[in-house]
Amino acid sequence: MSILEVRDLKKIYTSRFGTQKVEALRRVTFSVERGEYVAVMGESGSGKTTLLNLLAALDKPTAGTVYLDGIDLARLPEKDVAAFRRDQLGFVFQEFNLLDTFTVEDNIYLPLVLAGRPHGEMAARLEPLARELGISELLKKYPYEISGGQKQRAAVARALITEPKLLLADEPTGALDSRSTDELLSLFAEVNRRGQTIVMVTHSVKAASRASRVLFIRDGEVYHQLYRGGDTNEQLYQKISDTLTVLATGGDVA
Amino acid sequence: MKTGFYLRLAIDGMRKNRRLYLPYLLTCAGMVMVFYILTGLAYSPLMDSIRGGMTMKVILLLGTIVIAVFSLLFLFYTNSFLIRRRNREFGLYNILGMNKGDISRILLWETLLTALFALVVGLACGMLLSKLAELFLLHMADEKASYALHVEPKGLLAAVVFFGAIFAVLLVVSLARVRLSKPLDLLKSEAAGEKPPKANWVFAVAGAIILGAAYYLAVTIRQPLTALAVFFIAVIMVIVATYLLFIAGSVALCKLLQKNRGYYYKAAHFVSVSSMAFRMKRNGAGLASICILATMVLVMLSSSGCLYFGGENAMRGIYPYELAISADSASPEDCTETLREWLLAVSREAAQGSESDLQIYTKLETGGMFRDGELEMERFYEDRSASELENVRTVYILPLSDYERLSGRSAALGADEALVWSSGKAYEGDTFAVKGCRKLRVAGTLSELPFRSEEYRSVTTSYAVFVPNWEEVASEIAECADSGQTGRGLATVTTVCGFDLPGLDGEEQIEIENRLIDIVEADMIDGTIPTEVASVSYKSRADGRSDFFSVYGSLFFIGIALSVVFIAAAALIIYYKQLSEGYEDQSRFDIMQKVGMTKREIRSTVNSQVRTVFFAPLILAGVHLAFAFPFVQKIIRLFGVNNLPLLIITSCLCFLVFAVFYVIVYRGTARTYYSIVSAVGERRAV
Ligand SMILES: Nc1ncnc2c1ncn2[C@@H]1O[C@H](COP(=O)(O)OP(=O)(O)O)[C@@H](O)[C@H]1O
Ligand SMILES: [Mg+2]
């Protein structure tokens, strides 16, 4: 069974006085299997962030449904949504979104503390994770003292420490230099290899080329998708580039 | 053209930042207003025409100085806050190609506009309200007022010069700040300084110790006179300690809580404690200032209010009769019937039949240390320890015949027997002795005096001892007093003749007093005054009242004026705190939601933090007030007001009124805070 099922998702933003409407998503349908690593590609403004916000129940769709592990997010009572997000989902953002009032360690603990876990358990979970992510040395530092790549790894640790069913990433490499980008992408690949389901939205071909499947959205719809099959990263990179070229020239992909 | 451009940019900038500027402008205008009102009143010709005008003038000018110093400090504080907020905008201008000269020109215009607004609005309101203030002041000083509007040019000039100078200095400081900064710093300066707070344990512990010591000093003060100096030291210590505690102590406390893992890693504490540390680091100084301001307002209002409202009672204590004439005699033998007759005659002649409740009595007054039923006559108590001072007594020796005459009761006492009255708890012991002199057996105690006594000196307990053979006993005690090492005049002999003047107002009573003085002086000149009279003194309650209320009325008036200014300042600080907190919490609010906190959770943690931050100063101010209480009580007792319940009521009332006001300010500013914080969602929606 799919871990994530998105059906006919539609989102229209209405300005405050209802005078202007922006259709960010028109009709998005796709599903994600357990253990998959899906990249969603699209131009800036094509509705990628909107899609992720809907998947995380941070926002409500205008129409359509999102099933996460068989649960209809729209049916979830308001008071349970936050707990659901905290326990089932991990979030990584382009701009890291670490709280500057916490040390790296406390930032990572945040979702567990909110879930009411005892400190011993939190520490036991953090130790191997921090080692894997290479941030063991940074735990006592504050966000302002570490680099962008390090911040993003801390954010990944925060997303993974709850052992979420689904890891959502919104342009996670967007604010990183190329070396940190490579490190982060390898990390994602490694995490995925161990069974973590990942949905990542990006407009970077390089980032998308590490996924097992790539969805393209344009004009608020899923327009096309590519499976990795047996391709290497380089081959997939080439295929994605070709697809984007065709999309850009307005043609249809067969 | 060019000038118009900068002017427009300045106006634009202020309008865009009206959330920041409007309260600032209003506060500036308010300070100018109060400053003008006080100086205007002080220099008003009125002060030369009314009784006690000189005292009032001095008090008003002192108040002006306090306002001036405070305005200076406060405007510096708010201006630096504003500039820090605006730096980002200036950085942007700078990057867009404006040089520092251009930015300076914008700043110049801004300052000019601010100064213009503050002076014009402040002085206009000042002129309008000064009449009201004048009426209020005169009412409190118990003086009659006229209703003509009067503009005091000296006050105007003082306000323009003083505030003009302040704004000039502020401008120089801002310009220097822009000149010294780099464009990128300007852009960043708002987010700069986000270093995590470090607990300064030395300061934190020092703060706690200093506060404890200050409280100890304030509470253990016994002698009101030496108290003034001690209390002053205690005040300084409290101020220092408050700053230390808010700046270092609060952060240290947060760090301590963070070390306690079981406590810290709980959903209810985790976010609060860690962001509280940051909040306190940034706001410590501001909160400490609020706390100090609040304490000053409370102490000032409660003490001056108690003096003012307790004044009427105090007047009765200090002036038991509406008018009294006392004649001192050289020795008890001189207290003859002739002397009494003369006192009665001059009193009746002056009062011309309007007197009532006339009483006349004779007393020998002395004092000293009283232990085990024995009085050791002594005049100076200064070098005594606090516990010894408890033993100081004022003692009156009075003729039993006066008691019998005034009370209408008869008492049969033998020689060396006495009736004793005490102003404190009832006299215990069977004997009353004057050391090395005379021992009397206490035949009974009295719960009330048959005449009105001057019970204002209630810092010490006093005894009244009635003896049948007064002349003999009093002479012996007077002789002992004269031969003692403490010097002559330790025991004084006085005959008091006092009466009320019902139905006469203050001025008429003072007229009678003047007539009485004239009559006595005429008697002195033509020699008809009895030879037994050594000196004469007069006490008129109406006269005392007008002095008293011109002092305490104007003190209370200044107290209210200063409180208004301090409260406005505290409100502005609170408002600015809320604003900057709001801007800083915007992004945090957003992140916490994404990490899995519900809106409700976020709101409640933020709420509790904001509340803690803003109510801590109020609570500490309340504690300060409580510890200042014993001192305040002693000081106002020194001024003749000994009314503990009244002081408790005024203190509680002041605290309550202040707390209500504080809550209103908090509510109002909290709304601004939430509108800023929730603007995140709106911005995204644009
Ligand atoms: N809160 C919002 N209110 C109104 N319009 C929005 C809002 N968020 C996004 N949009 C609009 O929806 C479209 C998709 O935005 P977004 O999902 O952020 O795109 P992407 O992440 O792919 O760059 C854009 O046109 C954007 O302007
Ligand atoms: Mg986006």
Side-chain angles (χ1 to χ4, degrees):
Chain A
M1 204 195 86
S2 326
I3 188 157
L4 179 71
E5 261 204 73
V6 177
R7 263 191 231 144
D8 299 332
L9 211 54
K10 175 177 179 137
K11 178 69 189 178
I12 297 175
Y13 288 113
T14 315
S15 69
R16 199 190 255 199
F17 303 107
T19 47
Q20 278 173 312
K21 287 186 182 216
V22 179
E23 193 182 46
L25 296 177
R26 182 176 300 162
R27 218 165 157 229
V28 174
T29 302
F30 68 97
S31 63
V32 175
E33 300 302 315
R34 208 174 290 273
E36 256 194 314
Y37 180 178
V38 176
V40 179
M41 283 208 78
E43 293 287 302
S44 171
S46 59
K48 303 184 298 290
T49 299
T50 305
L51 175 63
L52 271 199
N53 285 344
L54 294 179
L55 297 189
L58 280 167
D59 209 346
K60 286 198 180 334
T62 312
T65 45
V66 177
Y67 290 101
L68 192 79
D69 214 14
I71 297 168
D72 182 353
L73 289 191
R75 295 261 172 86
L76 218 52
E78 176 64 37
K79 62 179 172 48
D80 297 339
V81 169
F84 177 83
R85 192 183 304 139
R86 192 173 63 212
D87 300 338
Q88 315 285 345
L89 298 175
F91 235 125
V92 180
F93 308 91
Q94 173 174 352
E95 60 277 21
F96 322 128
N97 280 350
L98 295 177
L99 288 168
D100 51 9
T101 55
F102 282 121
T103 57
V104 167
E105 180 180 26
D106 288 348
N107 259 296
I108 299 172
Y109 283 152
L110 184 58
L112 291 183
V113 174
L114 292 175
R117 298 294 166 76
H119 179 258
E121 181 192 331
M122 299 194 289
R125 281 201 200 184
L126 177 60
E127 206 267 326
L129 191 61
R131 204 160 357 94
E132 187 186 338
L133 295 175
I135 52 172
S136 304
E137 311 297 313
L138 309 174
L139 291 178
K140 296 292 174 207
K141 298 206 167 167
Y142 279 85
Y144 88 102
E145 297 172 296
I146 61 179
S147 75
Q150 291 169 327
K151 278 187 210 170
Q152 196 59 301
R153 274 182 275 153
V156 172
R158 181 180 65 188
L160 291 179
I161 198 157
T162 54
E163 293 163 2
K165 295 208 172 94
L166 184 60
L167 179 65
L168 298 172
D170 188 355
E171 315 240 18
T173 60
L176 299 182
D177 57 45
S178 73
R179 210 185 110 212
S180 303
T181 299
D182 288 342
E183 279 172 8
L184 188 79
L185 290 174
S186 315
L187 198 64
F188 270 31
E190 173 63 20
V191 169
N192 172 247
R193 202 181 53 72
R194 294 216 215 117
Q196 177 68 54
T197 317
I198 301 176
V199 173
M200 170 176 73
V201 307
T202 180
H203 67 256
S204 145
V205 180
K206 187 176 182 183
S209 69
R210 310 292 286 267
S212 56
R213 178 157 59 111
V214 184
L215 299 176
F216 296 86
I217 55 174
R218 195 177 73 175
D219 300 331
E221 287 184 46
V222 176
Y223 189 78
H224 185 63
Q225 59 177 320
L226 284 176
Y227 285 90
R228 174 185 287 274
D231 291 347
T232 62
N233 289 343
E234 287 70 27
Q235 285 165 326
L236 188 57
Y237 186 99
Q238 197 53 51
K239 278 188 186 167
I240 296 170
S241 299
D242 294 345
T243 311
L244 288 177
T245 314
V246 178
L247 283 175
T249 52
D252 238 322
V253 188
Chain B
M1 173 64 220
K2 205 74 167 125
T3 311
F5 173 68
Y6 292 117
L7 176 59
R8 213 172 44 240
L9 273 183
I11 294 178
D12 257 17
M14 289 169 82
R15 212 176 33 217
K16 254 190 291 174
N17 291 291
R18 59 178 172 280
R19 262 185 180 161
L20 293 173
Y21 272 89
L22 198 60
Y24 175 64
L25 289 175
L26 291 178
T27 312
C28 289
M31 291 193 159
V32 172
M33 181 183 87
V34 176
F35 184 88
Y36 168 74
I37 291 178
L38 293 189
T39 39
L41 277 179
Y43 286 120
S44 150
L46 192 78
M47 291 299 142
D48 301 328
S49 65
I50 61 172
R51 287 181 61 92
M54 264 330 276
T55 336
M56 232 185 241
K57 183 173 185 161
V58 170
I59 293 174
L60 286 169
L61 284 178
L62 282 177
T64 312
I65 292 173
V66 175
I67 294 275
V69 171
F70 181 73
S71 304
L72 186 70
L73 294 177
F74 186 71
L75 292 183
F76 257 96
Y77 168 81
T78 39
N79 187 61
S80 80
F81 177 86
L82 282 179
I83 290 291
R84 222 173 9 210
R85 285 254 142 224
R86 292 294 306 279
N87 270 348
R88 198 177 180 69
E89 202 174 318
F90 292 146
L92 202 62
Y93 286 154
N94 201 331
I95 286 180
L96 292 179
M98 263 190 201
N99 60 33
K100 287 179 180 174
D102 299 324
I103 292 177
S104 302
R105 240 158 274 165
I106 298 177
L107 268 178
L108 175 68
W109 276 114
E110 278 193 16
T111 313
L112 280 179
L113 288 174
T114 309
L116 198 68
F117 178 92
L119 284 173
V120 169
V121 174
L123 289 178
C125 294
M127 285 180 218
L128 287 179
L129 288 181
S130 65
K131 191 67 214 175
L132 208 64
E134 184 188 309
L135 293 179
F136 188 46
L137 172 64
L138 290 183
H139 169 75
M140 291 209 291
D142 214 24
E143 293 281 346
K144 291 200 180 65
S146 80
Y147 288 83
L149 193 65
H150 168 79
V151 172
E152 183 51 52
K154 273 190 197 156
L156 287 183
L157 189 69
V160 170
V161 169
F162 177 68
F163 281 92
I166 290 191
F167 283 115
V169 175
L170 289 181
L171 178 65
V172 170
V173 171
S174 315
L175 290 182
R177 228 180 252 219
V178 168
R179 199 127 298 212
L180 292 175
S181 61
K182 301 187 200 79
L184 272 179
D185 292 349
L186 283 182
L187 260 186
K188 274 190 298 195
S189 66
E190 197 163 311
E194 262 312 325
K195 289 202 173 77
K198 283 219 165 54
N200 191 328
W201 290 100
V202 178
F203 282 179
V205 171
I209 292 175
I210 293 175
L211 188 64
Y215 281 172
Y216 179 78
L217 276 183
V219 173
T220 50
I221 282 172
R222 301 233 171 230
Q223 261 290 72
L225 281 177
T226 49
L228 218 50
V230 176
F231 190 69
F232 198 70
I233 295 169
V235 166
I236 303 228
M237 284 167 71
V238 165
I239 292 178
V240 170
T242 306
Y243 276 95
L244 287 178
L245 281 182
F246 270 106
I247 294 170
S250 56
V251 174
L253 180 68
C254 289
K255 290 276 158 188
L256 211 60
L257 291 177
Q258 280 179 329
K259 287 221 172 83
N260 180 351
R261 297 199 157 145
Y263 176 88
Y264 178 49
Y265 290 106
K266 287 274 179 307
H269 310 142
F270 191 57
V271 177
S272 304
V273 171
S274 67
S275 42
M276 194 67 110
F278 274 78
R279 249 176 236 267
M280 292 313 292
K281 178 189 134 215
R282 278 192 302 262
N283 294 336
L287 294 176
S289 310
I290 293 176
C291 180
I292 300 289
L293 287 180
T295 312
M296 290 207 254
V297 167
L298 290 172
V299 169
M300 222 160 43
L301 274 187
S302 59
S303 54
S304 56
C306 185
L307 275 180
Y308 179 70
F309 292 117
E312 198 55 53
N313 251 334
M315 287 297 100
R316 281 173 199 282
I318 300 174
Y319 302 95
Y321 303 98
E322 287 188 327
L323 187 56
I325 174 170
S326 320
D328 281 0
S329 302
S331 72
E333 293 87 45
D334 283 347
C335 297
T336 58
E337 211 42 47
T338 325
L339 174 70
R340 289 192 175 207
E341 295 291 321
W342 177 77
L343 281 172
L344 288 170
V346 292
S347 298
R348 294 204 166 106
E349 188 184 342
Q352 292 173 342
S354 34
E355 79 275 9
S356 84
D357 295 332
L358 189 139
Q359 293 186 323
I360 188 162
Y361 64 92
T362 302
K363 66 182 179 185
L364 174 133
E365 179 180 346
T366 183
M369 306 296 291
F370 187 79
R371 279 185 222 89
D372 306 324
E374 189 176 62
L375 178 78
E376 186 177 351
M377 288 190 285
E378 207 177 312
R379 171 170 274 172
F380 303 106
Y381 316 122
E382 266 76 7
D383 53 345
R384 295 295 172 144
S385 73
S387 60
E388 279 181 310
L389 286 174
E390 304 276 282
N391 293 326
V392 172
R393 297 286 182 279
T394 304
V395 174
Y396 305 103
I397 309 288
L398 305 114
L400 186 67
S401 57
D402 276 348
Y403 170 78
E404 288 178 326
R405 185 170 45 80
L406 292 169
S407 69
R409 281 184 218 138
S410 61
L413 294 189
D416 285 339
E417 283 192 329
L419 291 179
V420 179
W421 167 90
S422 163
S423 72
K425 55 177 197 284
Y427 188 83
E428 289 164 2
D430 304 331
T431 59
F432 176 88
V434 175
K435 191 173 179 190
C437 195
R438 187 95 184 197
K439 189 166 187 171
L440 301 165
R441 201 180 70 75
V442 177
T445 57
L446 299 173
S447 57
E448 250 177 79
L449 282 175
F451 53 84
R452 301 187 211 158
S453 69
E454 298 181 359
E455 265 326 305
Y456 65 98
R457 271 175 290 194
S458 24
V459 186
T460 60
T461 306
S462 44
Y463 294 147
V465 181
F466 294 90
V467 292
N469 47 344
W470 182 76
E471 205 179 297
E472 183 205 330
V473 174
S475 298
E476 198 178 331
I477 292 176
E479 247 161 61
C480 290
D482 283 352
S483 63
Q485 305 117 314
T486 36
R488 281 184 71 89
L490 182 55
T492 54
V493 183
T494 314
T495 306
V496 179
C497 174
F499 48 90
D500 284 347
L501 296 162
L504 297 188
D505 70 13
E507 273 171 38
E508 290 163 330
Q509 294 191 10
I510 291 174
E511 225 167 85
I512 291 183
E513 183 196 11
N514 288 334
R515 197 152 58 216
L516 180 61
I517 295 173
D518 289 344
I519 293 168
V520 171
E521 273 173 5
D523 279 5
M524 282 181 184
I525 290 167
D526 61 23
T528 45
I529 189 166
T531 50
E532 293 95 327
V533 178
S535 68
V536 181
S537 58
Y538 315 89
K539 275 182 121 180
S540 156
R541 193 188 294 162
D543 203 5
R545 267 181 63 103
S546 94
D547 283 345
F548 185 93
F549 282 103
S550 70
V551 174
Y552 298 121
S554 34
L555 267 184
F556 191 35
F557 176 80
I558 290 286
I560 293 174
L562 289 182
S563 300
V564 168
V565 170
F566 287 175
I567 286 176
L572 193 67
I573 297 178
I574 293 175
Y575 177 76
Y576 279 161
K577 289 287 146 219
Q578 294 271 37
L579 272 189
S580 48
E581 298 274 292
Y583 288 123
E584 274 150 17
D585 286 345
Q586 254 178 5
S587 52
R588 252 172 248 149
F589 210 79
D590 215 27
I591 298 172
M592 287 192 268
Q593 205 177 330
K594 284 177 178 160
V595 176
M597 269 174 109
T598 59
K599 279 212 170 94
R600 167 114 40 84
E601 277 173 334
I602 296 172
R603 225 184 145 102
S604 83
T605 51
V606 169
N607 248 336
S608 82
Q609 283 172 54
V610 172
R611 256 197 317 254
T612 314
V613 165
F614 288 103
F615 285 99
L618 181 65
I619 291 167
L620 190 59
V623 177
H624 285 347
L625 179 67
F627 277 95
F629 193 83
F631 171 78
V632 171
Q633 190 199 346
K634 288 194 177 73
I635 282 295
I636 65 172
R637 192 154 75 183
L638 203 64
F639 288 118
V641 176
N642 184 24
N643 193 336
L644 186 60
L646 180 68
L647 182 59
I648 292 176
I649 290 171
T650 49
S651 300
C652 291
L653 211 64
C654 286
F655 187 77
L656 263 175
V657 170
F658 188 79
V660 166
F661 176 83
Y662 200 86
V663 169
I664 293 172
V665 171
Y666 165 75
R667 281 274 174 81
T669 56
R671 196 164 308 144
T672 316
Y673 172 85
Y674 281 116
S675 83
I676 294 172
V677 168
S678 47
V680 180
E682 282 166 34
R683 253 196 336 215
R684 237 192 302 151
V686 173

